[in-house]
């Protein structure tokens, strides 16, 4: 293979290292700012709702810009596209670390998401095209560690950097990693032929409108009283209109923005359901655990980050072990087992209180990470194996779109439900707080929760709010648990087949068509 007229050595080890680094920095940045949000909120003078835009703006931008990856790669070539994405992502990270206002950091996070959107689909396509089918399982296991472990290790790294340095270093961390990734790609990544292809601007615009409006509706819904607000009604209508126009246009044009031929493969469709669920579970639990540990359990930021690290350990061990046995056992059974383990840990979380022990949280995190890691890696060899090679990049881009959408939607929903359910539970519990409640008139309660004094009223309100928050967290954990259970039967749709080599199958270098 050549690029710019010069032959480059095809070294699978260094190519894999480059794409794993690229995938990891993109995945880490979806969660690394989680534990730093309280510090960023004070530094940037933002409200609790506004500071969440730092998370969702990045994920939403990445979701919108993921589908054009195939077209951009065809026009620019894989190597040049990858280099542009890494350089842009790294520079955007520097700008995020230098931001002085909420508006600036949200804009820079959007820019970071725009450049980072193509990193994971390109990396996945490179892995598929670099290794023969019989070795893809092991290679995918190594690559999956970067994608899966990144979001889990993000809060740990973010907590340590915020506690010992400053929240800005959660973004500056990307500079050395991006530089190493850039050097490896420059030296070893082969290019692919460039092609002049038509870009479906109408499809891109309507899909972007649908995704963007939906995300704005979910982010602003709780603050604006949902459908009691004109803004939310407008955003809901725009989201519905955008998705409708996108589908109507896609089925009537000869060159749609997304080739729906990829949706005729039931393995691939099952994979979309699973990656949406897995991403939603990871992102929602991570976004809930941060305020739970810091707000209810009163752990400092660094300790909160460390308590979420065992999930990454469980994922690493599970991914490494599962990759070795994928060729020996039915991947459907392995996938179902992984989801069952994850569901069991989520059920345990529905029984947590603010006094839950750190040992219990660690073990639950380890097994939850292991279950999700097992489910994720068991799918990789079967999702794309029945798709034509020339659809690889388009399929991985749409796959990443579902992954990003699952993350952004889940974070917005659980954040909104946490606030709303806390308010509802607070109102419900407060109905029992009256001077006629005998529990408030006996023993120490009569002294500390004296409804006739300002101090007593303040203390009982704090207690009610705390209990309301605990119930709200339990409700959210239960919702994630039910979502995991609903996804499990989809494993029955998967067909286990071995890819046959075809004489007319395009070469690896042409897989970016």
């Amino acid at each position: 293979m050549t690029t710019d007229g010069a032959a480059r050595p095809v070294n699978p080890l260094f190519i894999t290292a480059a794409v794993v680094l690229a995938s990891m920095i993109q995945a880490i940045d979806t969660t690394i700012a989680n534990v730093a949000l309280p510090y960023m909120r004070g530094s940037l003078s933002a409200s609790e709702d506004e500071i969440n835009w730092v998370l969702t703006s990045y994920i939403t931008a990445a979701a919108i810009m993921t589908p054009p990856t195939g077209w951009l790669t065809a026009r620019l070539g894989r190597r040049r596209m990858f280099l542009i994405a890494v350089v842009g992502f790294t520079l955007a990270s520097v700008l995020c670390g230098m931001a002085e206002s909420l508006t600036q950091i949200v804009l820079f996070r959007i820019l970071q998401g725009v450049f980072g959107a193509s990193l994971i689909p390109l990396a996945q396509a490179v892995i598929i095209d670099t290794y023969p089918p019989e070795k893809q399982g092991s290679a995918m296991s190594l690559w999956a560690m970067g994608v899966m472990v990144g979001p889990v290790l993000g809060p740990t790294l973010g907590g340590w950097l915020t506690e010992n340095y400053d929240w800005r270093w959660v973004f500056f961390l990307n500079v050395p990693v991006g530089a190493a990734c850039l050097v490896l790609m420059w030296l070893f990544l082969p290019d692919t032929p460039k092609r002049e292809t038509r870009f479906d601007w109408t499809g891109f615009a309507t899909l972007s409108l649908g995704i963007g409006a939906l995300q704005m509706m979910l982010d602003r819904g709780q603050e604006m009283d949902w459908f009691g607000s004109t803004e939310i009604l407008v955003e809901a209508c725009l989201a519905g209109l955008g998705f409708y126009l996108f589908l109507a246009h896609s089925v009537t044009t000869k060159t749609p923005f997304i080739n729906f031929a990829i949706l005729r493969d039931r393995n691939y469709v099952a994979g979309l359901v699973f990656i949406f669920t897995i991403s939603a579970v990871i992102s929602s639990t991570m976004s809930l655990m941060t305020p739970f540990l810091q707000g209810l359990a009163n752990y400092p930021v660094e300790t909160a980050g460390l308590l979420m690290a065992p999930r990454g350990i469980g994922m690493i061990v599970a991914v490494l072990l599962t990759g070795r046995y994928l060729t020996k056992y039915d991947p459907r059974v392995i996938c179902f087992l992984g989801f069952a383990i994850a569901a069991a840990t989520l059920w345990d979380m529905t029984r947590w209180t603010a006094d839950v022990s750190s040992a219990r949280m660690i073990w639950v995190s380890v097994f939850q990470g292991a279950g999700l890691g097992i489910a994720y890696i068991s799918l990789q060899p079967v999702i794309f194996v029945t798709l034509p090679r020339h659809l690889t990049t388009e399929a991985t881009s749409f796959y990443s779109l579902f992954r990003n959408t699952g993350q952004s939607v889940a974070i917005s929903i659980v954040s909104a439900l946490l606030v709303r359910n806390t308010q509802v539970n607070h109102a419900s519990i407060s109905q029992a707080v009256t001077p006629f409640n005998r529990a408030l008139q006996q023993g120490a309660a009569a002294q500390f929760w004296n409804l006739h004094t300002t101090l007593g009223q303040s203390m009982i309100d704090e207690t009610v709010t705390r209990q309301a928050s605990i119930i709200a967290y339990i409700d959210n954990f239960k919702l994630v648990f039910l979502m995991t259970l609903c996804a499990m039967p989809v494993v029955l749709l998967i067909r286990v087949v071995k890819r046959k080599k075809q004489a007319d199958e395009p070469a690896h270098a042409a897989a970016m068509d």
Side-chain angles (χ1 to χ4, degrees):
M1 298 179 187
T2 63
T3 178
D4 301 329
R8 296 186 179 276
V10 179
N11 189 313
L13 179 61
F14 287 109
I15 291 175
T16 303
V19 299
V20 166
L21 284 176
S23 302
M24 183 172 289
I25 59 174
Q26 198 274 354
I28 283 177
D29 270 59
T30 59
T31 60
I32 194 170
N34 282 27
V35 295
L37 288 183
Y39 296 83
M40 296 170 66
R41 177 184 172 188
S43 176
L44 302 174
S45 301
S47 67
E48 186 173 351
D49 291 327
E50 291 173 340
I51 203 63
N52 281 326
W53 296 353
V54 175
L55 302 179
T56 55
S57 61
Y58 170 79
I59 300 174
T60 304
I64 292 174
M65 290 304 298
T66 295
T69 298
W71 177 80
L72 290 171
T73 303
R75 294 293 298 266
L76 301 174
R78 176 189 291 166
R79 180 171 176 270
R80 182 177 297 179
M81 179 63 188
F82 231 142
L83 292 175
I84 292 173
V86 172
V87 171
F89 184 85
T90 305
L91 292 178
S93 299
V94 174
L95 292 174
C96 287
M98 298 171 61
E100 295 295 335
S101 67
L102 177 67
T103 301
Q104 287 182 4
I105 195 169
V106 169
L107 289 176
F108 295 148
R109 283 285 277 177
I110 291 174
L111 187 64
Q112 196 181 31
V114 167
F115 282 105
S118 60
L119 292 179
I120 287 183
L122 280 176
Q124 196 168 16
V126 168
I127 292 292
I128 292 173
D129 295 336
T130 301
Y131 292 89
E134 62 272 15
K135 293 184 179 181
Q136 284 181 9
S138 300
M140 278 290 183
S141 298
L142 189 60
W143 171 78
M145 279 197 297
V147 179
M148 291 289 292
V149 177
V152 178
L153 293 184
T156 303
L157 286 172
W160 184 81
L161 290 169
T162 302
E163 185 74 17
N164 293 280
Y165 298 96
D166 187 78
W167 65 262
R168 300 180 186 276
W169 282 95
V170 304
F171 301 109
F172 293 148
L173 175 69
N174 291 332
V175 176
V177 181
C181 179
L182 190 65
V183 171
L184 289 173
M185 288 182 176
W186 183 271
L187 294 175
F188 299 103
L189 188 66
D191 208 350
T192 55
K194 302 177 182 65
R195 292 189 307 109
E196 292 292 330
T197 58
R198 177 182 175 274
F199 187 70
D200 184 10
W201 289 103
T202 302
F204 174 69
T206 52
L207 180 61
S208 300
L209 173 64
I211 295 176
L214 174 64
Q215 192 61 54
M216 284 295 296
M217 183 189 74
L218 294 174
D219 283 347
R220 302 268 295 164
Q222 179 58 36
E223 181 182 355
M224 303 301 294
D225 195 26
W226 292 103
F227 294 106
S229 164
T230 302
E231 176 188 332
I232 300 303
L233 288 173
V234 170
E235 288 166 352
C237 292
L238 287 176
L241 179 64
F243 288 125
Y244 170 76
L245 292 176
F246 170 72
L247 291 174
H249 171 75
S250 297
V251 298
T252 55
T253 185
K254 294 181 179 179
T255 55
F257 181 61
I258 293 177
N259 189 347
F260 287 108
I262 58 179
L263 299 181
R264 297 172 186 166
D265 188 292
R266 71 184 196 186
N267 278 22
Y268 181 71
V269 172
L272 294 178
V273 174
F274 283 130
I275 193 59
F276 184 94
T277 304
I278 291 173
S279 299
V281 171
I282 293 176
S283 58
S284 59
T285 51
M286 295 298 289
S287 64
L288 289 172
M289 284 298 294
T290 300
F292 181 90
L293 291 171
Q294 294 180 259
L296 284 181
N298 296 321
Y299 285 103
V301 58
E302 187 174 6
T303 305
L306 290 174
L307 283 173
M308 288 188 281
R311 186 179 310 209
I313 297 174
M315 282 186 178
I316 292 175
V317 174
V319 167
L320 290 175
L321 293 178
T322 305
R324 295 183 178 183
Y325 295 101
L326 282 177
T327 57
K328 299 180 181 179
Y329 300 98
D330 190 332
R332 294 171 295 187
V333 176
I334 299 176
C335 178
F336 190 87
L337 176 63
F339 269 100
I341 294 173
T345 60
L346 289 167
W347 174 251
D348 185 83
M349 294 174 74
T350 62
R351 295 180 291 173
W352 282 10
T353 66
D355 300 323
V356 61
S357 67
S358 57
R360 183 175 179 180
M361 284 190 287
I362 289 172
W363 281 110
V364 167
S365 295
V366 168
F367 281 102
Q368 190 169 105
L372 294 172
I374 290 171
Y376 182 82
I377 195 59
S378 64
L379 295 171
Q380 299 310 305
V382 296
I383 292 176
F384 301 98
V385 72
T386 52
L387 282 171
R389 290 297 280 273
H390 69 280
L391 294 175
T392 297
T393 300
E394 194 162 10
T396 54
S397 298
F398 199 54
Y399 187 75
S400 292
L401 171 63
F402 264 67
R403 183 180 66 85
N404 291 327
T405 304
Q407 291 175 339
S408 59
V409 169
I411 291 175
S412 298
I413 289 177
V414 297
S415 298
L417 286 177
L418 182 64
V419 175
R420 187 173 187 84
N421 289 344
T422 299
Q423 296 172 348
V424 172
N425 293 329
H426 188 283
S428 177
I429 297 173
S430 298
Q431 294 178 0
V433 181
T434 68
F436 307 102
N437 190 324
R438 297 182 60 182
L440 301 177
Q441 301 173 2
Q442 300 176 357
Q447 299 178 7
F448 293 104
W449 292 340
N450 190 339
L451 296 178
H452 301 290
T453 65
T454 303
L455 178 62
Q457 293 172 1
S458 176
M459 293 185 66
I460 197 168
D461 181 69
E462 180 180 349
T463 302
V464 170
T465 301
R466 185 178 177 84
Q467 295 302 315
S469 297
I470 292 172
I471 298 172
Y473 277 106
I474 291 174
D475 291 340
N476 268 331
F477 291 142
K478 190 175 296 182
L479 175 64
V480 181
F481 164 73
L482 294 174
M483 180 179 64
T484 305
L485 287 184
C486 291
M488 291 171 67
V490 181
V491 74
L492 300 175
L493 296 177
I494 296 176
R495 292 183 300 138
V496 179
V497 295
K498 292 185 178 180
R499 186 173 203 156
K500 297 180 181 180
K501 294 182 179 180
Q502 299 176 5
D504 58 344
E505 186 177 64
H508 284 196
M512 299 298 290
D513 287 355

